[in-house]
Coordinates of all heavy atoms in Angstrom, one line a residue:
E13 N -99.3 -121.0 -31.2 CA -100.5 -120.8 -30.3 C -100.5 -119.3 -29.9 O -101.5 -118.7 -29.9 CB -100.3 -121.7 -29.1 CG -101.4 -121.6 -28.1 CD -101.2 -122.5 -26.9 OE1 -101.0 -123.8 -27.2 OE2 -101.2 -122.0 -25.8
L14 N -99.3 -118.8 -29.5 CA -99.3 -117.3 -29.2 C -99.6 -116.4 -30.3 O -100.2 -115.4 -30.2 CB -97.9 -117.0 -28.5 CG -97.7 -117.7 -27.2 CD1 -96.2 -117.5 -26.7 CD2 -98.6 -117.2 -26.1
A15 N -99.0 -116.7 -31.5 CA -99.3 -116.0 -32.7 C -100.7 -116.0 -33.0 O -101.4 -115.0 -33.4 CB -98.5 -116.4 -33.9
E16 N -101.4 -117.2 -32.9 CA -102.9 -117.2 -33.2 C -103.6 -116.4 -32.2 O -104.7 -115.8 -32.4 CB -103.3 -118.7 -33.2 CG -104.8 -118.8 -33.4 CD -105.3 -118.2 -34.6 OE1 -104.7 -118.1 -35.6 OE2 -106.5 -117.7 -34.6
A17 N -103.2 -116.4 -30.9 CA -103.8 -115.6 -29.8 C -103.8 -114.2 -30.1 O -104.9 -113.4 -29.9 CB -103.3 -115.9 -28.5
L18 N -102.7 -113.7 -30.7 CA -102.5 -112.3 -31.1 C -103.4 -112.0 -32.3 O -104.1 -111.0 -32.3 CB -101.1 -112.0 -31.4 CG -100.7 -110.7 -32.0 CD1 -101.2 -109.5 -30.9 CD2 -99.3 -110.5 -32.2
R19 N -103.4 -112.9 -33.2 CA -104.4 -112.7 -34.4 C -105.8 -112.5 -33.9 O -106.6 -111.7 -34.4 CB -104.1 -113.8 -35.4 CG -102.9 -113.7 -36.3 CD -102.9 -114.6 -37.4 NE -102.8 -116.0 -37.0 CZ -101.6 -116.6 -36.7 NH1 -100.4 -116.0 -36.8 NH2 -101.5 -117.9 -36.4
E20 N -106.2 -113.4 -33.0 CA -107.6 -113.4 -32.5 C -107.8 -112.1 -31.8 O -108.9 -111.5 -31.9 CB -107.8 -114.6 -31.6 CG -109.3 -114.6 -30.9 CD -110.4 -114.5 -32.0 OE1 -110.3 -115.0 -33.1 OE2 -111.4 -114.0 -31.6
A21 N -106.9 -111.6 -31.0 CA -107.1 -110.4 -30.3 C -107.2 -109.3 -31.2 O -108.0 -108.3 -31.0 CB -105.8 -110.1 -29.3
N22 N -106.5 -109.2 -32.3 CA -106.6 -108.1 -33.4 C -107.9 -108.3 -34.0 O -108.5 -107.3 -34.4 CB -105.4 -108.3 -34.4 CG -104.2 -107.7 -34.0 OD1 -104.2 -106.6 -33.4 ND2 -103.1 -108.3 -34.2
R23 N -108.4 -109.5 -34.3 CA -109.8 -109.7 -34.8 C -110.8 -109.0 -33.9 O -111.8 -108.4 -34.4 CB -110.1 -111.1 -35.1 CG -109.4 -111.6 -36.4 CD -109.8 -113.0 -36.8 NE -109.5 -114.1 -35.9 CZ -108.4 -114.8 -36.0 NH1 -107.5 -114.6 -36.9 NH2 -108.1 -115.7 -35.0
Q24 N -110.8 -109.3 -32.6 CA -111.7 -108.8 -31.6 C -111.6 -107.2 -31.6 O -112.7 -106.6 -31.5 CB -111.3 -109.3 -30.3 CG -111.6 -110.8 -30.1 CD -111.2 -111.3 -28.8 OE1 -110.6 -110.6 -27.9 NE2 -111.2 -112.6 -28.6
L25 N -110.4 -106.7 -31.7 CA -110.2 -105.3 -31.8 C -110.9 -104.7 -33.0 O -111.6 -103.7 -33.0 CB -108.7 -104.9 -31.8 CG -108.4 -103.4 -32.0 CD1 -109.1 -102.5 -30.9 CD2 -106.9 -103.2 -31.9
A26 N -110.6 -105.3 -34.1 CA -111.3 -104.9 -35.4 C -112.8 -104.9 -35.3 O -113.6 -104.0 -35.7 CB -110.9 -105.8 -36.6
R27 N -113.4 -106.0 -34.7 CA -114.9 -106.1 -34.5 C -115.4 -104.9 -33.6 O -116.3 -104.3 -33.8 CB -115.3 -107.4 -33.9 CG -115.4 -108.5 -34.9 CD -116.1 -109.7 -34.4 NE -115.3 -110.3 -33.3 CZ -114.3 -111.3 -33.2 NH1 -113.9 -111.6 -34.5 NH2 -113.8 -111.7 -32.2
A28 N -114.6 -104.7 -32.5 CA -115.0 -103.6 -31.6 C -115.0 -102.3 -32.3 O -115.9 -101.4 -32.1 CB -114.1 -103.6 -30.4
I29 N -113.9 -102.0 -33.1 CA -113.8 -100.8 -33.8 C -115.1 -100.6 -34.8 O -115.7 -99.6 -34.9 CB -112.6 -100.6 -34.5 CG1 -111.4 -100.5 -33.5 CG2 -112.6 -99.5 -35.6 CD1 -110.0 -100.5 -34.2
A30 N -115.3 -101.6 -35.6 CA -116.4 -101.7 -36.6 C -117.7 -101.4 -35.9 O -118.6 -100.8 -36.4 CB -116.4 -103.0 -37.3
E31 N -118.0 -102.1 -34.8 CA -119.3 -102.0 -34.1 C -119.5 -100.7 -33.3 O -120.5 -100.3 -33.3 CB -119.5 -103.3 -33.3 CG -119.6 -104.6 -34.0 CD -119.6 -105.8 -33.2 OE1 -119.6 -105.7 -31.9 OE2 -119.5 -106.9 -33.8
D32 N -118.4 -100.3 -32.7 CA -118.5 -99.1 -31.8 C -118.4 -97.8 -32.5 O -118.9 -96.8 -32.1 CB -117.6 -99.2 -30.6 CG -117.9 -100.4 -29.7 OD1 -118.8 -101.1 -30.0 OD2 -117.3 -100.4 -28.6
K33 N -117.5 -97.9 -33.5 CA -117.3 -96.6 -34.3 C -116.8 -95.4 -33.5 O -117.0 -94.3 -33.9 CB -118.5 -96.3 -35.2 CG -118.9 -97.3 -36.2 CD -120.0 -97.0 -37.0 CE -120.4 -97.9 -38.1 NZ -120.4 -99.4 -37.8
A34 N -116.2 -95.7 -32.4 CA -115.7 -94.6 -31.4 C -114.7 -95.3 -30.5 O -114.6 -96.5 -30.4 CB -116.8 -94.0 -30.7
Y35 N -113.9 -94.5 -29.9 CA -112.9 -95.0 -29.0 C -113.6 -95.2 -27.6 O -113.4 -94.4 -26.7 CB -111.7 -94.1 -28.8 CG -110.4 -94.7 -28.3 CD1 -109.7 -95.6 -29.1 CD2 -110.0 -94.5 -27.0 CE1 -108.6 -96.2 -28.6 CE2 -108.9 -95.1 -26.5 CZ -108.2 -95.9 -27.3 OH -107.1 -96.6 -26.8
T36 N -114.3 -96.3 -27.5 CA -115.1 -96.6 -26.4 C -114.3 -97.4 -25.3 O -113.2 -98.0 -25.7 CB -116.3 -97.5 -26.8 OG1 -115.8 -98.7 -27.4 CG2 -117.2 -96.8 -27.8
P37 N -114.8 -97.6 -24.2 CA -114.2 -98.5 -23.2 C -114.0 -100.0 -23.8 O -112.9 -100.6 -23.5 CB -115.1 -98.5 -22.0 CG -115.8 -97.2 -22.1 CD -116.0 -97.0 -23.5
R38 N -114.9 -100.4 -24.6 CA -114.7 -101.8 -25.3 C -113.5 -101.8 -26.1 O -112.8 -102.7 -26.2 CB -116.0 -102.1 -25.9 CG -116.0 -103.4 -26.6 CD -117.3 -103.6 -27.3 NE -117.2 -104.8 -28.2 CZ -117.8 -105.0 -29.4 NH1 -118.5 -104.0 -29.9 NH2 -117.6 -106.0 -30.2
V39 N -113.4 -100.8 -26.9 CA -112.2 -100.7 -27.8 C -110.9 -100.6 -27.0 O -109.9 -101.2 -27.3 CB -112.3 -99.4 -28.8 CG1 -111.0 -99.2 -29.6 CG2 -113.5 -99.7 -29.8
T40 N -110.9 -99.7 -26.0 CA -109.8 -99.6 -25.1 C -109.4 -100.9 -24.5 O -108.2 -101.3 -24.5 CB -110.1 -98.6 -23.9 OG1 -110.4 -97.4 -24.6 CG2 -108.9 -98.4 -23.1
A41 N -110.3 -101.7 -24.0 CA -110.1 -103.0 -23.5 C -109.5 -103.9 -24.5 O -108.6 -104.8 -24.3 CB -111.4 -103.6 -23.0
A42 N -110.1 -103.9 -25.7 CA -109.5 -104.7 -26.9 C -108.1 -104.3 -27.2 O -107.3 -105.2 -27.5 CB -110.4 -104.6 -28.1
V43 N -107.8 -103.1 -27.2 CA -106.3 -102.6 -27.5 C -105.4 -103.2 -26.3 O -104.4 -103.8 -26.6 CB -106.3 -101.1 -27.4 CG1 -104.9 -100.7 -27.4 CG2 -107.0 -100.5 -28.7
E44 N -105.9 -103.1 -25.1 CA -105.1 -103.7 -24.0 C -104.9 -105.2 -24.1 O -103.8 -105.8 -23.8 CB -105.8 -103.4 -22.6 CG -105.7 -101.9 -22.2 CD -104.2 -101.4 -22.1 OE1 -103.4 -102.2 -21.5 OE2 -103.9 -100.3 -22.6
H45 N -105.9 -105.9 -24.6 CA -105.9 -107.3 -24.9 C -104.8 -107.7 -25.9 O -104.0 -108.5 -25.8 CB -107.2 -107.9 -25.3 CG -107.3 -109.3 -25.4 ND1 -107.1 -110.2 -24.3 CD2 -107.5 -110.1 -26.4 CE1 -107.2 -111.5 -24.7 NE2 -107.5 -111.4 -26.0
V46 N -104.8 -106.9 -27.0 CA -103.8 -107.0 -28.0 C -102.4 -106.8 -27.4 O -101.5 -107.5 -27.7 CB -104.0 -106.0 -29.2 CG1 -102.8 -105.9 -30.1 CG2 -105.3 -106.4 -29.9
H47 N -102.2 -105.7 -26.6 CA -100.9 -105.4 -26.0 C -100.5 -106.6 -25.1 O -99.3 -107.0 -25.2 CB -100.9 -104.2 -25.2 CG -101.1 -102.9 -26.0 ND1 -101.2 -101.7 -25.6 CD2 -101.1 -102.8 -27.4 CE1 -101.4 -100.8 -26.5 NE2 -101.2 -101.5 -27.6
H48 N -101.4 -107.2 -24.4 CA -101.0 -108.3 -23.5 C -100.6 -109.5 -24.4 O -99.6 -110.2 -24.1 CB -102.1 -108.8 -22.6 CG -102.3 -107.8 -21.5 ND1 -101.6 -107.8 -20.4 CD2 -103.3 -106.8 -21.3 CE1 -101.9 -106.8 -19.6 NE2 -103.1 -106.3 -20.1
R49 N -101.3 -109.8 -25.5 CA -100.9 -110.9 -26.3 C -99.6 -110.7 -27.0 O -98.7 -111.6 -27.2 CB -102.1 -111.2 -27.4 CG -103.4 -111.5 -26.8 CD -103.4 -112.9 -26.1 NE -102.9 -112.9 -24.9 CZ -103.4 -112.5 -23.6 NH1 -104.6 -112.0 -23.6 NH2 -102.8 -112.6 -22.5
M50 N -99.4 -109.5 -27.5 CA -98.0 -109.0 -28.0 C -96.9 -109.3 -27.1 O -95.9 -109.8 -27.4 CB -98.1 -107.6 -28.5 CG -98.9 -107.2 -29.7 SD -99.1 -105.5 -30.0 CE -97.5 -105.1 -30.5
G51 N -97.1 -108.9 -25.8 CA -96.2 -109.1 -24.7 C -95.9 -110.6 -24.5 O -94.8 -111.0 -24.3
D52 N -96.9 -111.4 -24.5 CA -96.7 -112.8 -24.3 C -95.9 -113.4 -25.4 O -95.0 -114.3 -25.1 CB -98.1 -113.5 -24.4 CG -99.0 -113.3 -23.2 OD1 -98.4 -112.7 -22.1 OD2 -100.2 -113.6 -23.2
L53 N -96.2 -113.0 -26.6 CA -95.4 -113.4 -27.8 C -93.9 -113.0 -27.7 O -93.0 -113.7 -27.9 CB -96.0 -113.1 -29.1 CG -95.4 -113.5 -30.4 CD1 -95.3 -115.1 -30.4 CD2 -96.2 -113.0 -31.6
Q54 N -93.7 -111.7 -27.3 CA -92.4 -111.2 -27.2 C -91.6 -111.9 -26.1 O -90.4 -112.3 -26.4 CB -92.4 -109.7 -26.9 CG -91.0 -109.0 -26.8 CD -90.4 -108.8 -28.1 OE1 -91.1 -108.9 -29.2 NE2 -89.2 -108.5 -28.2
K55 N -92.2 -112.2 -25.0 CA -91.5 -112.9 -23.9 C -91.1 -114.3 -24.3 O -90.0 -114.7 -24.1 CB -92.4 -113.0 -22.7 CG -92.6 -111.7 -22.0 CD -93.6 -111.8 -20.9 CE -94.2 -110.5 -20.4 NZ -95.3 -110.6 -19.4
A56 N -92.1 -115.0 -25.0 CA -91.7 -116.4 -25.4 C -90.6 -116.3 -26.5 O -89.8 -117.3 -26.5 CB -93.0 -117.0 -26.0
S57 N -90.5 -115.4 -27.4 CA -89.5 -115.3 -28.3 C -88.2 -115.0 -27.6 O -87.2 -115.8 -28.0 CB -89.8 -114.1 -29.3 OG -91.0 -114.4 -30.1
I58 N -88.0 -114.2 -26.7 CA -86.8 -114.0 -25.9 C -86.4 -115.1 -25.1 O -85.2 -115.5 -25.2 CB -87.0 -112.7 -25.0 CG1 -87.3 -111.4 -25.9 CG2 -85.7 -112.5 -24.2 CD1 -86.3 -111.1 -27.0
E59 N -87.4 -115.8 -24.5 CA -87.1 -117.0 -23.8 C -86.4 -118.0 -24.7 O -85.5 -118.9 -24.4 CB -88.3 -117.5 -23.1 CG -88.7 -116.7 -21.9 CD -90.0 -117.1 -21.3 OE1 -90.7 -118.0 -21.9 OE2 -90.4 -116.6 -20.3
H60 N -87.0 -118.1 -26.0 CA -86.6 -119.1 -26.9 C -85.2 -118.8 -27.4 O -84.4 -119.7 -27.5 CB -87.6 -119.2 -28.1 CG -87.1 -120.1 -29.2 ND1 -87.3 -121.5 -29.0 CD2 -86.7 -120.0 -30.4 CE1 -86.8 -122.1 -30.1 NE2 -86.5 -121.2 -31.0
V61 N -84.9 -117.5 -27.6 CA -83.5 -117.2 -28.0 C -82.5 -117.6 -26.9 O -81.4 -118.2 -27.2 CB -83.3 -115.6 -28.2 CG1 -82.0 -115.1 -28.3 CG2 -84.1 -115.2 -29.4
F62 N -82.8 -117.3 -25.7 CA -81.8 -117.8 -24.5 C -81.8 -119.3 -24.4 O -80.8 -119.8 -24.1 CB -82.2 -117.0 -23.3 CG -81.8 -115.6 -23.3 CD1 -82.7 -114.6 -23.4 CD2 -80.4 -115.3 -23.2 CE1 -82.3 -113.3 -23.4 CE2 -80.0 -114.0 -23.2 CZ -80.9 -113.0 -23.3
A63 N -82.9 -120.0 -24.6 CA -82.9 -121.5 -24.6 C -82.0 -122.0 -25.7 O -81.2 -122.9 -25.5 CB -84.3 -122.0 -24.7
M64 N -82.1 -121.3 -26.9 CA -81.3 -121.8 -28.1 C -79.8 -121.6 -27.7 O -79.0 -122.3 -28.1 CB -81.7 -121.1 -29.3 CG -83.0 -121.6 -29.9 SD -83.5 -120.6 -31.4 CE -82.2 -120.2 -32.2
R65 N -79.5 -120.3 -27.2 CA -78.2 -119.9 -26.8 C -77.5 -121.0 -25.9 O -76.3 -121.3 -26.1 CB -78.2 -118.6 -26.2 CG -76.8 -118.1 -25.9 CD -76.9 -116.7 -25.4 NE -75.5 -116.1 -25.3 CZ -74.9 -115.8 -24.2 NH1 -75.5 -116.1 -23.1 NH2 -73.6 -115.3 -24.2
A66 N -78.3 -121.5 -25.1 CA -77.8 -122.5 -24.1 C -77.3 -123.8 -24.8 O -76.4 -124.5 -24.3 CB -78.7 -122.9 -23.0
E67 N -77.8 -124.1 -26.0 CA -77.4 -125.2 -26.7 C -76.3 -125.0 -27.7 O -75.7 -126.0 -28.3 CB -78.6 -125.8 -27.5 CG -79.8 -126.1 -26.7 CD -79.5 -127.2 -25.7 OE1 -78.8 -128.2 -26.1 OE2 -79.9 -127.1 -24.5
L68 N -75.7 -123.7 -27.9 CA -74.8 -123.5 -28.9 C -73.5 -123.3 -28.1 O -73.3 -123.1 -26.9 CB -75.2 -122.1 -29.5 CG -76.4 -122.1 -30.3 CD1 -76.8 -120.7 -30.7 CD2 -76.4 -123.0 -31.4
S69 N -72.4 -123.2 -29.0 CA -71.1 -122.8 -28.4 C -71.1 -121.5 -27.9 O -72.0 -120.6 -28.4 CB -70.1 -123.1 -29.5 OG -70.1 -122.1 -30.5
P70 N -70.1 -121.0 -27.1 CA -70.2 -119.6 -26.7 C -70.1 -118.6 -27.8 O -70.8 -117.6 -27.8 CB -68.9 -119.5 -25.9 CG -68.7 -120.9 -25.3 CD -69.2 -121.8 -26.5
E71 N -69.3 -119.0 -28.9 CA -69.2 -118.1 -30.1 C -70.5 -118.0 -30.9 O -71.0 -116.9 -31.2 CB -68.1 -118.5 -31.0 CG -66.7 -118.5 -30.4 CD -66.4 -119.6 -29.5 OE1 -67.1 -120.7 -29.6 OE2 -65.4 -119.5 -28.8
Q72 N -71.1 -119.2 -31.0 CA -72.5 -119.2 -31.7 C -73.6 -118.4 -30.9 O -74.3 -117.7 -31.4 CB -72.9 -120.6 -31.9 CG -72.0 -121.3 -33.0 CD -72.4 -122.8 -32.9 OE1 -72.6 -123.5 -32.0 NE2 -72.5 -123.4 -34.1
G73 N -73.5 -118.6 -29.5 CA -74.4 -117.9 -28.7 C -74.3 -116.4 -28.7 O -75.3 -115.7 -28.8
D74 N -73.0 -116.0 -28.8 CA -72.8 -114.6 -28.8 C -73.4 -114.0 -30.2 O -74.0 -113.0 -30.2 CB -71.4 -114.2 -28.7 CG -70.9 -114.4 -27.3 OD1 -71.8 -114.5 -26.4 OD2 -69.6 -114.4 -27.1
K75 N -73.1 -114.7 -31.2 CA -73.6 -114.4 -32.6 C -75.2 -114.4 -32.6 O -75.8 -113.4 -33.2 CB -73.1 -115.3 -33.6 CG -73.4 -114.8 -35.1 CD -72.8 -115.7 -36.1 CE -73.1 -115.2 -37.5 NZ -72.5 -115.9 -38.5
L76 N -75.8 -115.3 -32.0 CA -77.2 -115.4 -31.9 C -77.8 -114.1 -31.2 O -78.8 -113.5 -31.7 CB -77.7 -116.6 -31.3 CG -79.2 -116.8 -30.9 CD1 -80.0 -116.8 -32.2 CD2 -79.5 -117.9 -30.1
L77 N -77.2 -113.8 -30.1 CA -77.6 -112.5 -29.4 C -77.4 -111.3 -30.2 O -78.2 -110.4 -30.1 CB -76.9 -112.4 -28.0 CG -77.2 -113.5 -27.0 CD1 -76.5 -113.2 -25.7 CD2 -78.7 -113.5 -26.7
I78 N -76.4 -111.2 -30.9 CA -76.2 -110.0 -31.8 C -77.2 -110.0 -32.8 O -77.7 -108.9 -33.1 CB -74.7 -110.1 -32.4 CG1 -73.6 -109.8 -31.4 CG2 -74.6 -109.0 -33.5 CD1 -72.2 -110.1 -31.7
L79 N -77.5 -111.1 -33.4 CA -78.6 -111.1 -34.5 C -79.8 -110.8 -33.9 O -80.7 -110.1 -34.5 CB -78.6 -112.6 -35.1 CG -77.4 -113.0 -36.0 CD1 -77.5 -114.4 -36.3 CD2 -77.4 -112.1 -37.2
A80 N -80.2 -111.3 -32.7 CA -81.5 -110.9 -32.0 C -81.5 -109.5 -31.8 O -82.5 -108.8 -32.0 CB -81.7 -111.7 -30.7
Q81 N -80.4 -108.9 -31.3 CA -80.4 -107.5 -31.0 C -80.6 -106.6 -32.2 O -81.4 -105.8 -32.3 CB -79.0 -107.1 -30.4 CG -78.9 -105.6 -30.0 CD -77.5 -105.3 -29.6 OE1 -76.6 -106.1 -29.4 NE2 -77.2 -104.0 -29.4
K82 N -80.0 -107.0 -33.3 CA -80.1 -106.3 -34.5 C -81.5 -106.4 -35.1 O -82.1 -105.4 -35.6 CB -79.1 -106.8 -35.6 CG -77.7 -106.4 -35.4 CD -76.8 -106.9 -36.4 CE -75.3 -106.5 -36.2 NZ -74.4 -107.0 -37.1
A83 N -82.1 -107.6 -34.9 CA -83.5 -107.7 -35.4 C -84.4 -106.8 -34.6 O -85.4 -106.2 -35.1 CB -83.9 -109.2 -35.3
L84 N -84.3 -106.7 -33.3 CA -85.1 -105.9 -32.4 C -84.9 -104.4 -32.8 O -85.9 -103.6 -32.8 CB -84.8 -106.2 -31.0 CG -85.3 -107.5 -30.5 CD1 -84.7 -107.8 -29.1 CD2 -86.8 -107.5 -30.5
E85 N -83.6 -104.0 -33.1 CA -83.4 -102.6 -33.4 C -84.0 -102.2 -34.7 O -84.4 -101.0 -34.9 CB -81.9 -102.4 -33.4 CG -81.3 -102.4 -32.0 CD -79.7 -102.4 -32.1 OE1 -79.1 -102.6 -33.1 OE2 -79.2 -102.1 -31.0
Q86 N -84.1 -103.1 -35.7 CA -84.7 -102.9 -37.0 C -86.2 -103.0 -37.1 O -86.8 -102.5 -38.0 CB -83.9 -103.7 -38.0 CG -82.5 -103.4 -38.2 CD -81.7 -104.4 -39.1 OE1 -82.4 -105.2 -39.7 NE2 -80.5 -104.3 -39.2
S87 N -86.8 -103.7 -36.1 CA -88.3 -104.0 -36.3 C -89.0 -102.7 -35.8 O -88.6 -102.0 -35.0 CB -88.6 -105.2 -35.5 OG -88.4 -105.1 -34.2
P88 N -90.2 -102.6 -36.4 CA -91.0 -101.4 -36.0 C -91.5 -101.5 -34.6 O -91.6 -102.5 -34.1 CB -92.2 -101.5 -37.0 CG -92.1 -102.8 -37.6 CD -90.8 -103.4 -37.4

């Protein structure tokens, strides 16, 4: 659901860029909308990591956090 909301926000941004052909307030608003959807997805992902960690052994939980940290450090 969150990933689809982000895709839709990107489509809205694409339409605004195509129609306005300039960095207008509408494009600015669409960019902000994309940023909010990205943030929602990031928060949900981090919450999920910690929820998963609670179900694991301490060693597994620590490994999960290390993997999440490495993934965040390597992603653009």
Side-chain angles (χ1 to χ4, degrees):
E13 183 178 305
L14 293 172
E16 179 55 35
L18 177 57
R19 284 189 291 274
E20 177 57 27
N22 277 320
R23 286 189 291 268
Q24 291 172 8
L25 174 57
R27 279 192 300 274
I29 290 169
E31 292 171 7
D32 293 7
K33 296 179 178 40
Y35 200 74
T36 62
R38 179 178 170 218
V39 171
T40 301
V43 168
E44 289 300 317
H45 186 65
V46 168
H47 289 172
H48 286 285
R49 298 295 74 82
M50 289 171 68
D52 292 343
L53 184 56
Q54 183 75 14
K55 288 175 198 172
S57 297
I58 297 303
E59 288 172 355
H60 181 69
V61 167
F62 284 106
M64 288 176 34
R65 184 174 188 253
E67 301 298 320
L68 301 172
S69 70
E71 296 81 16
Q72 291 171 321
D74 289 346
K75 186 173 182 179
L76 176 63
L77 291 183
I78 290 168
L79 290 171
Q81 178 187 357
K82 286 181 181 180
L84 288 167
E85 290 172 345
Q86 294 175 5
S87 65

